[in-house]
Amino acid sequence: MDLKVEQKPEVNSKTKQMTMIQAINDGLKTMLELDEKTILLGEDIGKNGGVFRATEGLQEVFGEDRVVDTPLSESGIVGTSVGLAVNGFKPVAEMQFMGFIYPAYDQIMTHVSRLRMKTLGHYSAPMVIRAPYGAGIRAPEIHSDSAEALFTHMPGVKVVCPATPYDAKGLLIESIEDPDPVIFMEPMRSYRAKREDVPEGKYNVEIGKGNKVQEGTDITLIAWGAMVPVAEQAAKQAEEQGVSCEVIDLRTLYPLDRELIAESVQKTGRAVIVHEAHGTGGLGNDILSVINDTSFLYLRSPIERVTGFDVPVPFFSLEDHYLPTAKRVLESIYKSVNF
Amino acid sequence: MDLKVEQKPEVNSKTKQMTMIQAINDGLKTMLELDEKTILLGEDIGKNGGVFRATEGLQEVFGEDRVVDTPLSESGIVGTSVGLAVNGFKPVAEMQFMGFIYPAYDQIMTHVSRLRMKTLGHYSAPMVIRAPYGAGIRAPEIHSDSAEALFTHMPGVKVVCPATPYDAKGLLIESIEDPDPVIFMEPMRSYRAKREDVPEGKYNVEIGKGNKVQEGTDITLIAWGAMVPVAEQAAKQAEEQGVSCEVIDLRTLYPLDRELIAESVQKTGRAVIVHEAHGTGGLGNDILSVINDTSFLYLRSPIERVTGFDVPVPFFSLEDHYLPTAKRVLESIYKSVNF
Amino acid sequence: MEEQFPIKKVMDDQGNLIDSSYEEKIDEELVRTMYYNMLRIRTFDRKAINLQRQGRIGTYPPFEGQEASQVGSALALKDGDWMFPTYRDHGATLTFGADMVRTFLYWNGRHEGVVPPKGKNIFPAAVPIATQIPHATGTAWAEKRKGTTNIALAYFGDGATSEGDFHEGLNFASVFQTPTVFFNQNNGYAISVPIEKQMNSKTIAQKALAYDMPSVRIDGNDCFSVYFEMEKAVNRAREGSGPTLIEAVTWRTGAHTTADDPTKYRPDGQGEEIVHPLDRLEMFMKNYGHWNEEWISETKEKIENEVEAAVEAMENSPKANPADLFDYVFEQNPEHLEEQKDQYLAQLKGD
Amino acid sequence: MEEQFPIKKVMDDQGNLIDSSYEEKIDEELVRTMYYNMLRIRTFDRKAINLQRQGRIGTYPPFEGQEASQVGSALALKDGDWMFPTYRDHGATLTFGADMVRTFLYWNGRHEGVVPPKGKNIFPAAVPIATQIPHATGTAWAEKRKGTTNIALAYFGDGATSEGDFHEGLNFASVFQTPTVFFNQNNGYAISVPIEKQMNSKTIAQKALAYDMPSVRIDGNDCFSVYFEMEKAVNRAREGSGPTLIEAVTWRTGAHTTADDPTKYRPDGQGEEIVHPLDRLEMFMKNYGHWNEEWISETKEKIENEVEAAVEAMENSPKANPADLFDYVFEQNPEHLEEQKDQYLAQLKGD
Ligand SMILES: Cc1ncc(C[n+]2csc(CCOP(=O)(O)OP(=O)(O)O)c2C)c(N)n1
Ligand SMILES: Cc1ncc(C[n+]2csc(CCOP(=O)(O)OP(=O)(O)O)c2C)c(N)n1
Ligand SMILES: [Mg+2]
Ligand SMILES: [Mg+2]
């Protein structure tokens, strides 16, 4: 049984209050139990349970052979995962932080993403690459990058980014079951930000479908991951000023849920896109282009983007200045409605 | 004397008919002569003169110490270039093909692009990374990638891409003199496609400035590198049907010449963006976003993009199907003017 | 270090056995299999160069001079084993069971060219240098996990040893003791860069010391040395004793690719003293009574016919299908990609 | 391999010289310099941990246990030389001349923290593991080209040896014979991963064999062994005899960072038998008549005052300037970035 997006778990299915990191742990555990081909690889994920505790306790239960502490070598992790995947295993590789995925970029770009196409489907390398991303937790440099756009421009991989514990588990399970490679981005800032009811056992959240987290009529706010709460906060403040915001949590960054975006913008005629990565080259421009392609005649004002600045993510004393805030979103909302 | 964009070389300066590859060779030679801190590094660039002959004859003149055959190691080339650059040298590193830049992605992302910002300007790593790119020459897989969008989303590097022999030499010299790192993309397909007058000695073409290669009134075509001739061809055909096209050769991909784009689109009210890289995540979306930000009220139809498909660049038997053609551009022109 | 890794030979340059104990191990069947395969791939190789010159296929990287390395190593594998070749290892893949028509198709820019026959585990030729090395480690690791005795063989050149992936792949293999054989063909050059500029070490075999991995340096132009040393490494891998690095010292007779001009970077006369592997085998066969003119000419004819037929089949095969551009990117196309496909195919039809 | 790379010591665990010829080389000045610096950085380190606990700085990676490695190696450098540290090497950078206030600022997330004093060539601490290794090679190469006798020193951990950049950096250094010293602090763990899972080799020193590069394995808790072996490597580099790999076997006493809990992955009691480098030096000083209570207590006081003053200065330093976010991305801001800056600063002002 696949529980799809809009259906939340059935009333009688048991749930538990979980943070996002617990939900991820639970999702990994669920798949380790259900499919013996699932194996986890990464730096410090075994005995240590991961630097964020995403894999806490899993090696104890499933053994060193299925929850593998690897050498410190991202290209090696992804490169060997290609071999494992081709041979029927389902590697779930952790990059300790998304900023450390770059050494593996070549393997992902030239093999993981292309193997199926290259061989007309004879071989493929489905795997999940988990990557905690984003600023706001006072981590050292590089740790805080948001690199989704480097993967949405790479045909052959899907990119997923949950904003809630429920979606995190359901999307992770779906990603592990997906026949294609998935970059699974985890907003560190949201790891322990809230708890919610998460069903026990297996359930899926469909890849490729966004979630309308709030209905509204005047303007559409589009966000994902750690920016969803920021958008929600801005929406609340705008509401108080009489501007009704529709808020969309994209959840999947490749492929985009064009239908949901178009439908909403056609209704509101306005949009603010919020993301943490740099504006130039950011996914916001892709969304803008979806709106251009589908909803040109509906637009009542230019589309606004509130993004990280076009500067490297700074050391943490400046990171709050780098990150989009509800205030900046609110200004863009006003700019748009007053256009 | 800096010859800037619009000024072509003075009448009495000596010129020579050159292909783009010859102009690049000449630009490298010019800078090796003028600045002893300039050093070239790369695989097969020395004795062999480069697989495309870009560095032909240079090692003979300037010695093994300034035109260096390195080990087969892109991360090593860029990583050691950081050290050289910090110490006052100006490395001009060749990636044999842009598809082989990925192993160096980590060094470029985490150091080359960030060193200046990280150290508040105390250190910086200005260097030029030359990278032949693009499909259409029947090369094996990976050789034909167009990876500009992976660098325009990386604050701290500039991205340049000439379309003509004249611009190639002038932009290359400017890139070598630039105080910041520059990714210098060379359209392989244009290496020997035409000859034109190229001044002897040193001249510069400004980074950040596009070039209006054709005036028009009905629609703006925006392209760069090997797609400029494709856009020009489509413009010619459209002209025959009475549609007047303005054609812009962007030349610099980061930072974008927003003024030129805005000015033109505000005049024509329509735009077709043409590029070789995949549409999703492509630079076309950034240009779209520039237009959205600057020229919303002038738009008479949705902006069209004609790009490589959202598939890996295929083996060469299919590459002509992958690449944008004048025909596809023409269809988009019609779609736009008939909207 | 060079003394620590002497070049192992079974026969000398004149085809005389150096260690006579090999005489019984080298039976008629082995000799003929070796000769047949080496002649077959050389015929393929020369044909490919000709086809390229005539514009009938794309740029092609010849392997002439490396036939003993490729055939000797490939023959040590069994069905179920895995091969991770580079662009220059079609001699090995053909010997292991790749289809010749498809191999020609590959050099004609066709994706069909990388699809191996059913039951043959042959990965697409790695184009980004050294990236296949961790794949071979991962695959061998998978076989080990599954409890099979299958092994994985990675081919790579001298230049490839400079890439990080070489290092990471060998490190993983040594840590997880995967059944992988890392087979290096040291042909002296990476395009134009001679080994002295590629590395400071005199041997590639010694690089295994970094991983406490067994390694051996062999005469890559001596098909028997290649075969028997490979066999040892393969057996060790099958038995669960982990990976091995083999350095086969060989020589690329021709250009890097048909687009390359080796006279630009090779000193005059370099490599001329090297006895070509097939000539060496021929001398051996004559020396040890394996030379049978009739069998030889039958074999030649058979091979020539096969190669000609393969060329014909390649040229008669249906044109590349534009839909293939779209149909294998994902298991199932996302909507926007399906749209791109539909639009483009409709436009093509309109033409 | 382990026998080939015995751990070199100058003194034993009780502070007794193993080779008495060192007695004259180790004069009072050297002893005091060593003690002063080791005590100074330990004081800094412990202070930093406290500050982190009190929320006055961010996550911090302590280096306690590695003081001899860091001080012994740093003291072998001269002005003009280059240092490429990791996040754990602030003991070394402080010894080489980094500013203590700025070092605290770094751990408070401040860019000012990586700016070295004028004339001191100290690179920002490398955060992406092993990436600094090619930088040190390139810098040394630059110095060689310029004809100076300056050298570059790269620090890195045991875990770093698994990355491709380690391999590529050492290969370049060996090919171009750059004056680089690759100083490995093998502290037994990369976060939670013990060296046995990081590599199959028992030593890191042996990895130099891959590059025909000299290497040595030393007791990294013996400040004199570190200092004298470093001196040899540095001299070799200055003389134009190329790079060296040094493996300093040491131990991280505490956690990987203040966010880490080593009891999760370290067996009970592991490392307890290790005599801490500063205790060992103290015993040596007592054994050889260098212990002077008065000097010691003066020194302690001086250091404590310095550290307290540095903390105060760190905390009193002006807040980070939001304009710094924009002003150093390029030498000159492109227009769109200048716009972003102006808008944002205007908005901040409006608050
Ligand atoms: C990552 C990468 N960089 C550069 C190239 C371009 N290139 C193709 S073959 C080659 C030389 C390879 O030399 P070697 O490993 O010795 O193999 P050989 O060609 O001699 O068989 C180079 C540099 C590439 N294919 N991949
Ligand atoms: C490329 C990269 N991958 C992962 C990390 C996360 N990380 C930080 S420190 C560390 C362990 C480093 O171990 P080692 O090299 O032994 O140095 P030590 O911390 O012991 O000094 C890891 C995995 C990183 N900083 N960079
Ligand atoms: Mg070679
Ligand atoms: Mg360590």
Side-chain angles (χ1 to χ4, degrees):
Chain A
M1 182 202 60
D2 275 12
L3 287 172
K4 296 286 174 201
V5 181
E6 314 309 339
Q7 309 163 242
K8 281 256 168 177
E10 288 152 34
V11 191
N12 63 352
S13 88
K14 269 176 120 183
T15 65
K16 220 170 137 178
Q17 284 270 311
M18 290 187 195
T19 60
M20 182 183 287
I21 193 79
Q22 290 167 332
I24 288 168
N25 182 280
D26 198 44
L28 294 170
K29 193 169 170 207
T30 304
M31 291 310 291
L32 283 165
E33 267 161 9
L34 291 179
D35 182 358
E36 56 170 24
K37 293 292 184 192
T38 306
I39 74 170
L40 315 190
L41 299 91
E43 298 155 10
D44 306 293
I45 67 161
K47 205 152 197 180
N48 199 37
V51 295
F52 288 105
R53 307 280 167 251
T55 50
E56 177 93 48
L58 299 181
Q59 191 181 68
E60 270 170 280
V61 179
F62 299 98
E64 289 196 22
D65 221 44
R66 297 196 55 209
V67 181
V68 187
D69 277 319
T70 66
L72 208 176
S73 158
E74 290 77 12
S75 189
I77 292 171
V78 174
T80 54
S81 289
V82 169
L84 290 163
V86 162
N87 221 318
F89 287 93
K90 186 72 183 206
V92 182
E94 177 178 296
M95 301 284 107
Q96 201 159 83
F97 292 83
M98 190 162 213
F100 304 134
I101 203 172
Y102 310 126
Y105 199 73
D106 184 41
Q107 282 288 346
I108 304 173
M109 177 60 111
T110 64
H111 294 287
V112 176
S113 73
R114 302 189 199 207
L115 187 57
R116 185 189 290 279
M117 194 275 187
K118 190 184 301 195
T119 62
L120 301 179
H122 186 79
Y123 292 118
S124 61
M127 67 178 71
V128 178
I129 301 180
R130 295 181 41 242
Y133 85 93
I137 65 156
R138 288 166 69 84
E141 63 152 350
I142 317 290
H143 290 70
S144 309
D145 286 14
S146 298
E148 63 270 22
L150 307 176
F151 297 96
T152 53
H153 189 54
M154 191 192 273
V157 301
K158 297 176 181 173
V159 184
V160 163
C161 182
T164 66
Y166 178 85
D167 283 348
K169 181 175 168 187
L171 280 168
L172 181 55
I173 289 172
E174 179 83 357
S175 298
I176 296 174
E177 294 191 326
D178 197 278
D180 289 302
V182 178
I183 308 290
F184 192 85
M185 296 173 61
E186 303 172 1
M188 287 184 263
R189 202 150 64 122
S190 310
Y191 267 160
R192 296 179 172 85
K194 71 166 179 182
R195 279 169 200 280
E196 70 177 8
D197 275 341
V198 172
E200 292 185 353
K202 180 171 176 290
Y203 68 93
N204 297 53
V205 172
E206 197 179 342
I207 291 179
K209 292 276 176 255
N211 191 19
K212 194 185 288 178
V213 295
Q214 183 181 313
E215 294 266 359
T217 51
D218 297 328
I219 189 163
T220 302
L221 311 187
I222 301 171
W224 56 90
M227 287 300 109
V228 173
V230 172
E232 286 176 312
Q233 202 191 327
K236 218 177 132 209
Q237 293 169 11
E239 222 78 46
E240 287 162 13
Q241 306 300 319
V243 182
S244 162
C245 301
E246 182 141 308
V247 181
I248 288 177
D249 169 5
L250 271 185
R251 295 199 292 204
T252 293
L253 310 185
Y254 194 99
L256 285 174
D257 189 343
R258 299 189 304 168
E259 214 175 307
L260 183 66
I261 295 167
E263 188 201 74
S264 177
V265 175
Q266 288 175 12
K267 179 173 70 177
T268 61
R270 299 184 182 93
V272 179
I273 302 158
V274 188
H275 66 68
E276 208 179 310
H278 326 298
T280 300
L283 190 66
N285 299 324
D286 280 86
I287 297 167
L288 204 156
S289 133
V290 167
I291 298 173
N292 169 79
D293 293 353
T294 59
S295 315
F296 180 76
L297 290 177
Y298 298 83
L299 284 180
R300 305 208 273 177
S301 62
I303 294 150
E304 292 290 318
R305 290 170 307 128
V306 181
T307 68
F309 295 112
D310 285 331
V311 308
V313 184
F315 290 5
F316 70 72
S317 63
L318 289 172
E319 70 181 346
D320 292 342
H321 293 292
Y322 172 82
L323 280 171
T325 54
K327 175 147 192 270
R328 279 174 59 203
V329 177
L330 202 60
E331 285 195 357
S332 286
I333 292 173
Y334 293 145
K335 195 171 158 203
S336 183
V337 294
N338 296 329
F339 180 75
Chain B
M1 180 202 61
D2 275 11
L3 288 172
K4 295 287 173 198
V5 180
E6 314 309 338
Q7 308 164 240
K8 281 258 170 177
E10 289 151 34
V11 192
N12 63 351
S13 89
K14 267 179 123 181
T15 65
K16 219 170 138 177
Q17 283 272 309
M18 290 188 196
T19 60
M20 183 184 288
I21 194 79
Q22 289 168 333
I24 288 168
N25 182 280
D26 198 44
L28 293 171
K29 193 167 170 209
T30 304
M31 291 309 292
L32 282 164
E33 267 160 9
L34 290 179
D35 182 358
E36 57 170 23
K37 293 292 184 191
T38 306
I39 74 169
L40 315 191
L41 300 89
E43 298 155 9
D44 307 293
I45 66 161
K47 204 151 196 180
N48 198 37
V51 294
F52 288 105
R53 307 279 167 253
T55 50
E56 178 93 49
L58 300 180
Q59 191 181 67
E60 270 170 282
V61 179
F62 299 98
E64 289 196 22
D65 222 44
R66 297 195 56 209
V67 181
V68 186
D69 276 319
T70 66
L72 208 176
S73 158
E74 290 77 13
S75 189
I77 292 171
V78 175
T80 54
S81 289
V82 169
L84 290 163
V86 162
N87 221 320
F89 289 92
K90 186 72 184 206
V92 182
E94 176 178 297
M95 301 284 107
Q96 201 160 83
F97 291 83
M98 190 161 213
F100 304 133
I101 203 171
Y102 309 127
Y105 199 73
D106 185 41
Q107 281 288 348
I108 304 173
M109 176 59 111
T110 64
H111 293 288
V112 176
S113 72
R114 301 189 200 208
L115 187 57
R116 185 189 290 279
M117 194 275 187
K118 190 183 302 195
T119 62
L120 301 179
H122 186 79
Y123 292 118
S124 61
M127 66 179 71
V128 178
I129 301 180
R130 295 181 40 242
Y133 84 94
I137 64 155
R138 288 165 71 82
E141 63 152 350
I142 316 290
H143 290 70
S144 310
D145 286 13
S146 297
E148 63 269 24
L150 307 175
F151 297 96
T152 52
H153 190 54
M154 191 192 272
V157 300
K158 297 177 180 171
V159 184
V160 164
C161 182
T164 66
Y166 178 86
D167 283 349
K169 181 174 167 187
L171 280 168
L172 181 55
I173 289 172
E174 179 82 359
S175 299
I176 296 174
E177 293 190 325
D178 198 278
D180 289 302
V182 178
I183 308 290
F184 191 85
M185 295 173 61
E186 303 173 2
M188 288 184 263
R189 202 151 62 123
S190 311
Y191 267 161
R192 297 181 170 84
K194 70 165 181 184
R195 281 171 198 280
E196 69 177 10
D197 274 341
V198 172
E200 291 185 355
K202 179 169 176 292
Y203 67 94
N204 297 52
V205 172
E206 197 179 343
I207 291 178
K209 293 275 175 256
N211 191 19
K212 194 184 290 179
V213 293
Q214 183 180 316
E215 293 265 359
T217 52
D218 296 330
I219 188 163
T220 303
L221 310 187
I222 301 171
W224 57 90
M227 288 299 109
V228 173
V230 173
E232 285 176 314
Q233 201 191 328
K236 217 177 132 207
Q237 293 169 13
E239 222 79 45
E240 287 162 15
Q241 306 301 316
V243 182
S244 160
C245 301
E246 182 141 308
V247 182
I248 289 178
D249 169 7
L250 271 184
R251 295 199 290 203
T252 293
L253 310 184
Y254 195 100
L256 286 174
D257 189 343
R258 300 189 304 167
E259 214 174 306
L260 182 66
I261 295 168
E263 188 202 74
S264 176
V265 175
Q266 288 174 13
K267 178 174 71 180
T268 62
R270 298 184 183 91
V272 180
I273 303 158
V274 188
H275 66 67
E276 208 179 310
H278 326 297
T280 300
L283 191 67
N285 298 324
D286 280 86
I287 297 167
L288 204 155
S289 135
V290 167
I291 298 173
N292 168 80
D293 294 353
T294 58
S295 315
F296 179 75
L297 290 177
Y298 298 83
L299 283 181
R300 305 207 274 176
S301 63
I303 295 151
E304 292 291 318
R305 290 170 306 129
V306 181
T307 69
F309 295 113
D310 284 332
V311 308
V313 184
F315 291 6
F316 71 71
S317 63
L318 289 172
E319 70 181 345
D320 292 342
H321 293 292
Y322 172 82
L323 280 172
T325 54
K327 174 148 192 268
R328 280 174 60 204
V329 177
L330 202 60
E331 285 194 359
S332 286
I333 292 173
Y334 293 146
K335 196 171 158 203
S336 183
V337 294
N338 296 328
F339 180 76
Chain C
M1 281 281 121
E2 265 183 292
E3 314 79 62
Q4 212 174 310
F5 294 98
I7 297 183
K8 287 203 181 179
K9 292 172 193 279
V10 167
M11 59 176 165
D12 67 16
D13 275 357
Q14 260 47 56
N16 298 307
L17 288 179
I18 288 167
D19 174 349
S20 62
S21 78
Y22 276 96
E23 208 170 330
E24 49 198 67
K25 292 190 201 157
I26 303 176
D27 61 16
E28 179 97 345
E29 199 196 322
L30 178 62
V31 173
R32 288 194 165 185
T33 306
M34 207 65 93
Y35 186 87
Y36 164 74
N37 279 290
M38 284 166 67
L39 185 67
R40 178 168 176 262
I41 67 168
R42 170 173 297 188
T43 310
F44 167 88
D45 192 58
R46 291 186 173 171
K47 187 74 200 177
I49 296 175
N50 278 332
L51 291 175
Q52 192 284 330
R53 293 219 175 104
Q54 297 161 11
R56 292 156 74 189
I57 62 171
T59 307
Y60 175 80
F63 51 74
E64 185 157 341
Q66 304 182 203
E67 294 91 339
S69 289
Q70 298 200 11
V71 169
S73 55
L75 287 179
L77 296 192
K78 296 203 185 115
D79 272 7
D81 291 338
W82 287 81
M83 193 177 262
F84 291 82
T86 77
Y87 48 87
R88 201 186 300 290
D89 300 309
H90 289 97
T93 58
L94 285 168
T95 304
F96 188 47
D99 184 79
M100 195 181 283
V101 181
R102 286 185 185 259
T103 307
F104 278 128
L105 279 171
Y106 177 74
W107 291 109
N108 221 349
R110 294 292 294 274
H111 289 267
E112 291 83 350
V114 298
V115 180
K118 219 176 133 72
K120 293 286 173 187
N121 296 326
I122 306 174
F123 223 62
V127 168
I129 300 293
T131 52
Q132 77 279 19
I133 296 175
H135 303 166
T137 300
T139 297
W141 197 8
E143 294 290 0
K144 181 180 172 179
R145 286 166 167 277
K146 292 202 270 186
T148 74
T149 57
N150 298 330
I151 70 113
L153 168 58
Y155 288 103
F156 56 102
D158 39 294
T161 64
S162 296
E163 292 280 9
D165 270 2
F166 163 78
H167 175 66
E168 300 191 26
L170 265 71
N171 188 46
F172 266 71
S174 73
V175 167
F176 297 106
Q177 289 291 301
T178 65
T180 321
V181 179
F182 298 102
F183 191 88
N184 177 266
Q185 287 171 79
N186 175 358
N187 65 6
Y189 280 88
I191 308 187
S192 70
V193 180
I195 189 164
E196 316 87 69
K197 294 196 171 172
Q198 195 67 245
M199 63 193 75
N200 186 48
S201 69
K202 300 285 172 298
T203 82
I204 286 167
Q206 77 194 68
K207 295 182 187 295
L209 297 174
Y211 317 100
D212 265 355
M213 187 190 289
S215 67
V216 61
R217 195 165 191 232
I218 61 177
D219 184 337
N221 299 333
D222 170 353
C223 58
F224 298 120
S225 173
V226 175
Y227 178 74
F228 289 112
E229 289 300 328
M230 256 302 284
E231 212 175 35
K232 284 184 209 163
V234 167
N235 287 340
R236 210 163 34 231
R238 285 203 210 291
E239 283 159 14
S241 305
T244 305
L245 171 63
I246 297 179
E247 175 187 359
V249 181
T250 180
W251 181 249
R252 138 164 84 72
T253 313
H256 169 69
T257 67
T258 47
D260 174 59
D261 173 11
T263 65
K264 293 208 63 154
Y265 52 81
R266 277 190 186 159
D268 263 6
Q270 195 189 18
E272 273 172 13
E273 75 292 358
I274 294 167
V275 181
H276 283 210
L278 207 58
D279 297 343
R280 200 152 148 191
L281 178 57
E282 185 172 327
M283 288 189 271
F284 168 85
M285 287 167 78
K286 287 176 177 160
N287 294 345
Y288 293 86
H290 293 292
W291 191 255
N292 174 328
E293 289 287 355
E294 198 179 327
W295 181 81
I296 296 284
S297 65
E298 270 170 27
T299 302
K300 278 196 178 150
E301 200 187 316
K302 189 175 137 199
I303 289 171
E304 266 153 33
N305 291 341
E306 185 198 4
V307 171
E308 286 309 322
V311 173
E312 212 184 300
M314 182 262 291
E315 299 201 315
N316 289 333
S317 67
K319 272 180 66 172
N321 178 5
D324 288 350
L325 197 53
F326 303 95
D327 282 346
Y328 301 97
V329 183
F330 294 99
E331 212 236 12
Q332 218 183 341
N333 269 352
E335 191 198 280
H336 73 285
L337 195 49
E338 197 61 19
E339 256 177 34
Q340 290 179 17
K341 174 184 164 190
D342 290 347
Q343 272 176 25
Y344 182 63
L345 295 186
Q347 190 206 293
L348 272 188
K349 252 199 186 145
D351 286 356
Chain D
M1 281 281 120
E2 265 183 292
E3 315 79 62
Q4 211 174 310
F5 294 98
I7 296 182
K8 287 204 180 178
K9 291 173 195 279
V10 165
M11 61 176 162
D12 67 15
D13 275 358
Q14 259 48 56
N16 298 306
L17 287 179
I18 288 168
D19 173 351
S20 62
S21 79
Y22 275 96
E23 209 170 329
E24 49 198 65
K25 292 191 202 155
I26 303 176
D27 60 15
E28 179 97 346
E29 199 196 323
L30 178 61
V31 174
R32 288 193 165 185
T33 307
M34 207 63 95
Y35 186 87
Y36 164 73
N37 280 290
M38 283 167 67
L39 185 67
R40 178 170 176 261
I41 67 168
R42 171 174 296 188
T43 310
F44 168 87
D45 192 58
R46 291 186 174 171
K47 188 74 198 178
I49 296 175
N50 278 331
L51 291 175
Q52 191 284 329
R53 292 219 175 103
Q54 297 161 10
R56 291 157 74 189
I57 62 171
T59 307
Y60 174 80
F63 52 73
E64 184 158 341
Q66 305 181 203
E67 294 91 339
S69 289
Q70 298 200 11
V71 169
S73 54
L75 287 179
L77 295 192
K78 297 205 185 114
D79 272 7
D81 291 337
W82 286 83
M83 193 177 263
F84 290 82
T86 77
Y87 48 86
R88 201 186 300 291
D89 300 308
H90 288 98
T93 58
L94 285 168
T95 304
F96 188 48
D99 185 79
M100 194 181 283
V101 181
R102 287 186 183 258
T103 308
F104 278 127
L105 279 171
Y106 177 73
W107 291 109
N108 221 350
R110 294 292 294 273
H111 288 267
E112 292 84 351
V114 297
V115 180
K118 219 175 132 75
K120 293 284 174 189
N121 296 326
I122 306 175
F123 223 61
V127 168
I129 300 294
T131 52
Q132 75 280 18
I133 296 175
H135 302 166
T137 300
T139 298
W141 196 9
E143 294 290 359
K144 182 179 172 180
R145 286 165 167 278
K146 293 201 268 186
T148 76
T149 57
N150 298 331
I151 69 115
L153 168 59
Y155 288 102
F156 57 103
D158 38 294
T161 64
S162 296
E163 292 279 10
D165 270 2
F166 163 77
H167 175 65
E168 300 190 27
L170 266 71
N171 188 47
F172 266 71
S174 72
V175 168
F176 297 106
Q177 290 292 299
T178 65
T180 321
V181 180
F182 298 102
F183 192 88
N184 177 265
Q185 287 171 80
N186 175 358
N187 65 5
Y189 280 88
I191 308 188
S192 71
V193 179
I195 188 164
E196 315 86 70
K197 294 196 172 172
Q198 195 67 244
M199 62 193 76
N200 186 48
S201 68
K202 300 286 172 297
T203 82
I204 286 166
Q206 76 195 68
K207 295 183 187 295
L209 297 174
Y211 317 100
D212 265 356
M213 188 190 288
S215 68
V216 61
R217 196 165 190 231
I218 60 176
D219 184 338
N221 300 333
D222 171 352
C223 57
F224 298 120
S225 173
V226 174
Y227 178 74
F228 289 112
E229 289 300 328
M230 256 301 285
E231 211 175 35
K232 285 184 209 163
V234 166
N235 287 340
R236 211 165 29 235
R238 284 201 211 292
E239 283 160 13
S241 305
T244 305
L245 171 63
I246 298 179
E247 175 186 359
V249 181
T250 180
W251 182 250
R252 138 164 83 74
T253 313
H256 168 71
T257 67
T258 47
D260 173 60
D261 173 10
T263 64
K264 294 208 63 155
Y265 52 81
R266 278 189 186 160
D268 262 6
Q270 195 190 16
E272 272 171 14
E273 76 291 356
I274 294 167
V275 181
H276 283 211
L278 207 58
D279 297 343
R280 200 153 146 191
L281 178 58
E282 186 172 326
M283 287 189 273
F284 168 86
M285 288 167 79
K286 287 176 176 158
N287 293 345
Y288 293 86
H290 293 291
W291 191 256
N292 175 330
E293 288 288 354
E294 199 179 326
W295 181 81
I296 296 285
S297 65
E298 270 169 25
T299 302
K300 277 196 178 148
E301 203 187 313
K302 189 176 137 198
I303 288 170
E304 265 152 32
N305 291 341
E306 184 198 5
V307 172
E308 286 309 322
V311 173
E312 212 184 299
M314 181 261 292
E315 299 200 317
N316 288 334
S317 68
K319 272 180 66 174
N321 178 5
D324 287 351
L325 198 53
F326 303 95
D327 282 347
Y328 302 96
V329 183
F330 294 99
E331 212 236 11
Q332 217 182 343
N333 270 351
E335 189 197 281
H336 74 284
L337 195 49
E338 198 61 19
E339 255 177 35
Q340 290 179 18
K341 174 184 163 190
D342 289 347
Q343 272 177 26
Y344 183 62
L345 296 186
Q347 190 207 292
L348 272 187
K349 252 199 186 143
D351 284 357

